[in-house]
Amino acid sequence: MHSAPMRTIHDDVEEVLLSADALADRVAQLGAQLSADYAGRDPVLVSVLKGSIVFLADLIRAMEIPLSVDLMEVSSYGSGTETSGQVRILKDLSASIEGREVIVVEDIIDTGLTLNYLLRYLWERNPASMRICCLLDKPARRLAEIEIDYTGFTIPDRFVIGYGLDYDERYRNLPYVGVLRPSVYSSPSEE
Ligand code: 5GP
């Protein structure tokens, strides 16, 4: 059997914006800072599926204090690259956050509309405190004013993929954050 030359997800990347090493270093710093700030406070890290899972998995292993994790899923983007402005809760918290010290762990904040909605929703559940830890901040297109307490990197207004972030559900498994080749958006994939 003849096999075609293997095409990988790396072939669709135009540029690497943040290398795996740069991500690891910064996530380690964020974890150390959170461990210090939340020592003795037993925080719950509330994360949003699916884009945040890789960041969350690395971040909690960079933290040395007792903590718990809960996951929500909200829909914001469809299969394209533009935000719809519409937010729907697809999966809710599995435990009460009343009286808890909440750290919202987000992959990326772009317009801020998704997080703005989520924060209002979470405040209604009466946490003792709530702070935001976001890996990537894309301030250029911000529509909702949001105070981010912990930021990994501030990035330019480009659509990025990798380290959990997808384009049409693909590329989440890239170990770095990159920019897609424009041809991937515009042409049907070559089989
Ligand atoms: P916002 O509501 O802040 O505009 O968008 C938040 C969500 O949109 C993120 O959690 C993420 O799922 C998605 N998003 C925003 N910018 C990007 C991007 O550059 N790449 C990818 N893959 N998703 C993005």
Side-chain angles (χ1 to χ4, degrees):
M1 201 170 90
H2 293 282
S3 55
M6 187 174 71
R7 269 185 65 79
T8 74
I9 50 174
H10 303 286
D11 297 322
D12 292 342
V13 177
E14 180 175 74
E15 186 189 335
V16 175
L17 224 59
L18 302 167
S19 69
D21 282 348
L23 288 164
D25 286 351
R26 187 69 188 119
V27 172
Q29 288 172 355
L30 287 171
Q33 197 182 340
L34 286 168
S35 292
D37 292 357
Y38 282 86
R41 294 169 63 183
D42 191 22
V44 51
L45 277 65
V46 172
S47 198
V48 186
L49 294 168
K50 303 171 194 163
S52 302
I53 56 170
V54 178
F55 176 41
L56 178 73
D58 285 346
L59 184 67
I60 58 174
R61 285 176 293 174
M63 295 177 69
E64 297 183 308
I65 57 168
L67 58 83
S68 47
V69 168
D70 207 343
L71 296 168
M72 293 185 69
E73 184 169 12
V74 302
S75 69
S76 50
Y77 276 37
S79 59
T81 59
E82 291 299 310
T83 193
S84 64
Q86 271 194 330
V87 181
R88 250 183 340 133
I89 303 230
L90 304 177
K91 186 213 168 294
D92 207 339
L93 294 169
S94 54
S96 168
I97 56 166
E98 191 166 347
R100 298 292 306 273
E101 311 257 16
V102 173
I103 305 170
V104 177
V105 177
E106 263 281 26
D107 49 1
I108 184 165
I109 303 178
D110 183 16
T111 64
L113 294 175
T114 311
L115 188 57
N116 198 39
Y117 176 92
L118 193 71
L119 291 176
R120 271 187 285 135
Y121 181 87
L122 292 173
W123 274 123
E124 284 172 15
R125 268 120 200 105
N126 300 314
S129 72
M130 193 156 55
R131 283 189 187 164
I132 299 161
C133 176
C134 151
L135 180 69
L136 305 174
D137 180 15
K138 220 160 67 167
R141 302 200 317 150
R142 192 65 40 82
L143 295 175
E145 200 181 311
I146 289 175
E147 198 184 315
I148 308 173
D149 303 281
Y150 304 90
T151 304
F153 299 90
T154 300
I155 61 167
D157 184 15
R158 302 182 74 179
F159 186 79
V160 294
I161 46 156
Y163 199 69
L165 290 162
D166 73 311
Y167 172 67
D168 210 4
E169 293 301 326
R170 300 295 161 121
Y171 308 105
R172 295 193 196 276
N173 51 324
L174 285 171
Y176 48 81
V177 171
V179 178
L180 265 188
R181 287 189 193 286
S183 60
V184 179
Y185 305 114
S186 43
S187 65
S189 62
E190 299 160 52
E191 293 295 324

